Amino acid sequence: MFGKHLNVYKLMKHIAKLRGRIKYWQQVGSQACQDICQRIDKAYKLFFKQHKKGTRPPSFKKTRKYKSFTLKQAGYKFLSGNKIRIGNRVCKFSKSREIQGKVKTLTVKRNNLGELFILVVTDYENRESFGVVTSKIAGFDYGLKTFLTVSDGTSIESPLFFKQSRNRLKAASRNLSRKKKGSNNWYKAAYHLNRVYEDISNKRRDWFWKLADDLTNRYDVLIFEDLNLDGMKRLWGKKVSDLSMKTFLEILESVSVAKGKVVHFVDRYYPSSKTCSHCSYVNKQLSLKDRFWDCPSCQMKGIPRDWNASVNIQREGASSLGLGDVREGIILPVAV
């Protein structure tokens, strides 16, 4: 009613007292319980900020459904031989890369298959930067039939991993529904279903990382439209979820920061599809079903909707970034 919730520091004090009486809370460090309070505080702030958009308040989650806990200054210690002590337990792990810098937080995360991962955040800053390499800029239009249409005329098709594995998912889901819930066979069937979902997720993320690396090698500036992807998901459902554009953009931004490239977004209300890329005429009558259209102003015939949008996104992004003259995807220096 008043847009307020319990103060996070008062909640921490309260949890500290309860922790002495609840045994399973004592299995992890006290900082893990404090981090839960901070997660609740963050969730409530997000709810009060975006509740009008459909964001729900944080809800109760059972202990067995919790998939991660975070430790900060204490509660863990790295040992020799790729071993780590968390509380009283010593675990051996496979190191994907050397840990550089001072460790700030350590998160232990469990996936649906019961596999455990250690996520380490440090203060290390990679100063190696690729910077400007190609001087190329490109606009990208996101679509349902084509994953990305590039302003240079190329297009990128999505493998649609969920669609490829739909028969496997159906069989695994049907097998699970035939088992008695809670039985050993039910848990085996549930594990198999989670394995199929995990395979789909891993294949998609692997493709995203490789695509992000390829795009950042080809272009120095990448311009996208700031679309309401959650709204699109409500309209078109599985198709948008399978493309998973939001996850791709997060990965692309991460790769671009590491390489010193720029990912920029233009306003979602900019009429990129309805504007003629040749004469800037705005066709207000254009609908979603129109994949090609004719410009009544400059007499351009059969303008491809997606390519036209990507060119306009490129120009609008270059203008908002103040890059000066852009011709054929090349950033030209501004004359002084």
Side-chain angles (χ1 to χ4, degrees):
M1 289 175 64
F2 302 103
K4 294 183 179 180
H5 64 284
L6 188 64
N7 182 276
V8 62
Y9 300 107
K10 291 182 179 179
L11 185 58
M12 284 182 180
K13 288 182 179 180
H14 181 65
I15 293 298
K17 294 177 182 178
L18 288 179
R19 186 171 176 272
R21 301 200 299 265
I22 302 176
K23 290 186 177 180
Y24 67 85
W25 284 11
Q26 299 170 16
Q27 294 177 5
V28 293
S30 60
Q31 292 185 348
C33 297
Q34 293 178 4
D35 181 71
I36 301 301
C37 298
Q38 292 174 343
R39 294 187 195 184
I40 294 171
D41 180 64
K42 184 179 179 181
Y44 268 115
K45 286 180 179 177
L46 181 65
F47 166 68
F48 288 129
K49 184 179 180 182
Q50 299 187 357
H51 68 279
K52 293 181 180 179
K53 298 180 181 179
T55 302
R56 297 181 180 180
S59 58
F60 177 79
K61 186 183 288 186
K62 294 181 180 179
T63 308
R64 62 183 177 83
K65 289 190 176 181
Y66 232 91
K67 297 182 180 179
S68 68
F69 64 89
T70 299
L71 301 172
K72 296 180 181 178
Q73 293 90 355
Y76 63 91
K77 184 178 180 181
F78 286 98
L79 307 175
S80 60
N82 287 2
K83 293 181 180 179
I84 184 172
R85 179 188 292 119
I86 299 177
N88 296 324
R89 297 188 178 186
V90 177
C91 305
K92 192 170 184 179
F93 62 92
S94 176
K95 189 186 296 182
S96 61
R97 67 188 71 178
E98 292 297 327
I99 300 174
Q100 297 176 294
K102 183 179 179 181
V103 177
K104 307 297 287 186
T105 64
L106 181 142
T107 301
V108 179
K109 188 173 182 180
R110 181 189 68 214
N111 64 10
N112 292 329
L113 300 175
E115 298 170 339
L116 298 176
F117 298 87
I118 299 176
L119 310 178
V120 180
V121 177
T122 71
D123 60 359
Y124 174 73
E125 182 180 353
N126 186 6
R127 299 186 179 277
E128 182 181 354
S129 178
F130 290 78
V132 177
V133 177
T134 65
S135 296
K136 289 185 178 181
I137 180 174
F140 300 85
D141 182 56
Y142 170 62
L144 294 177
K145 293 187 177 181
T146 302
F147 184 67
L148 290 175
T149 301
V150 194
S151 55
D152 60 10
T154 60
S155 61
I156 300 168
E157 301 291 336
S158 173
L160 297 175
F161 296 105
F162 184 85
K163 186 177 180 181
Q164 287 182 14
S165 303
R166 189 159 51 190
N167 291 334
R168 288 178 63 201
L169 282 170
K170 282 183 179 180
S173 181
R174 191 182 300 116
N175 186 38
L176 177 64
S177 65
R178 291 171 179 168
K179 302 294 186 291
K180 183 180 178 180
K181 189 171 183 180
S183 64
N184 288 335
N185 286 333
W186 184 87
Y187 281 109
K188 290 179 182 179
Y191 179 87
H192 177 63
L193 179 60
N194 288 332
R195 170 58 70 187
V196 177
Y197 276 114
E198 193 73 16
D199 287 344
I200 295 171
S201 178
N202 290 339
K203 288 178 181 177
R204 186 187 291 124
R205 290 186 68 85
D206 178 68
W207 186 72
F208 282 165
W209 280 102
K210 289 176 180 177
L211 178 60
D213 184 61
D214 179 56
L215 292 178
T216 48
N217 286 338
R218 288 160 55 188
Y219 308 105
D220 286 339
V221 182
L222 302 95
I223 314 294
F224 291 84
E225 199 170 9
D226 182 24
L227 295 176
N228 182 10
L229 297 173
D230 292 331
M232 294 174 65
K233 189 180 294 184
R234 286 192 292 270
L235 284 175
W236 293 294
K238 291 181 181 179
K239 182 74 173 180
V240 179
S241 299
D242 197 3
L243 294 171
S244 195
M245 186 65 176
K246 188 174 182 179
T247 303
F248 169 69
L249 291 176
E250 291 174 353
I251 291 174
L252 181 64
E253 287 183 297
S254 174
V255 174
S256 64
V257 168
K259 291 187 176 183
K261 305 301 178 75
V262 177
V263 176
H264 182 66
F265 296 91
V266 301
D267 185 32
R268 67 179 59 176
Y269 298 109
Y270 172 68
S272 57
S273 298
K274 298 181 179 181
T275 304
C276 176
S277 58
H278 187 259
C279 69
S280 300
Y281 170 81
V282 179
N283 183 3
K284 296 182 179 180
Q285 306 301 321
L286 191 69
S287 63
L288 282 172
K289 65 180 180 180
D290 299 324
R291 307 315 303 171
F292 298 88
W293 59 282
D294 302 332
C295 179
S297 177
C298 64
Q299 308 304 319
M300 285 282 290
K301 302 292 184 181
I303 302 175
R305 177 196 180 98
D306 293 341
W307 172 81
N308 179 71
S310 64
V311 173
N312 288 326
I313 289 170
Q314 178 202 41
R315 292 174 181 172
E316 179 68 13
S319 176
S320 59
L321 286 172
L323 295 178
D325 195 6
V326 177
R327 298 176 188 172
E328 297 182 355
I330 304 295
I331 304 171
L332 301 178
V334 181
V336 180

